[in-house]
Amino acid sequence: MMIRFLSLLILILSFVRAVPAESREVKKKPSPKVSSSNYFVKKEEKNFSLLMEARRFGRGEVIFLRLTPKDKKWINESYKVSWLGKDVILTKWEKSMVAFLPISPDTPAGAMTLEIVSKIFFVKRGQKQYQIILEPTKFQVIKKNQQIKVDDKFVTKELPKETLDFIQECKTAKEAAFSKQSRLQFTGNFKNPLDKIFITSKFYVRRDYNNKQGRPHGGVDFRGKTGTSVYAIQDGVVVLARKAYYEGNFTIIDHGNKIFSFYMHQDQIKVKVGDIVKQGQEIGTVGTTGMSTGPHLHLGAKVNDTLVDPLSLIALQSISESN
């Protein structure tokens, strides 16, 4: 039996070709191109095409909308768009119309409705609705044993009159800044506010301060050393640049069409109200002023009077393509 087995083994090996060691290496396939992980809705209608892009269709996000008429001459026609029952500001960009649709972090579950009114697009009915299902969103809740300790003056209501007057003054200034209305100031995608990005607190996190429940976090916190340059995330006009009680050294930039970005707790403010700034321009430096526990940048955003996650604006990739 052993002899027969050895004979069979020799016979099998005689048919096996020796493979050089270098040819045994597995050749690596070329790396695929990195594609967007964003969500897209694309519709080709009879008279126009529709594009909607978002990081995700969830609470606190922003959707970029582009409408492109099939006939070039229709770009000058009158159109009306409403999102979640509220009118949307449209801007004409060459052959298309664009808009930014905010989803409030408090939006109830269910379908979100986009309505387009146009006698040109919809000859018979004059309008059409599109519905997008809101994705489930769970915002982080910081446990009580992870509460944040801040100066008591930021969490107590028992403050001197002059302090209360200053807080009211700051509130009035913020409301005036966010009420500004201007044409769209930019034509490209948004960018990050710091050279190095490390997020320490996400959007709408609910936290406790000194054993008292605080409001949801209205922005995103980025780690940074005091003095680190802070950059404008988009072209725009400075509509507020001052010291505020809670926000510390505070800057608000109007990007047009009721789109604002704001920068809190800065060590220095390097712009003034009325300045026209470009994306990537230094507007201040990282600090720990106001209601802050350490050096960081709080970046926030508002779209059409709705507080949104600024990272959802930065994630959009189709803005530049529209131009």
Side-chain angles (χ1 to χ4, degrees), residues 115-130:
E115 182 179 70
I116 303 174
V117 179
S118 169
K119 292 182 179 179
I120 295 293
F121 288 166
F122 316 108
V123 179
K124 293 182 179 180
R125 296 184 178 180
Q127 64 181 29
K128 186 172 182 178
Q129 291 186 343
Y130 298 87

Side-chain angles (χ1 to χ4, degrees), residues 202-220:
K202 297 180 180 179
F203 177 73
Y204 233 57
V205 172
R206 188 175 293 278
R207 305 179 291 194
D208 290 344
Y209 299 92
N210 300 8
N211 290 317
K212 296 180 180 179
Q213 188 180 63
R215 292 180 297 178
H217 191 220
V220 175

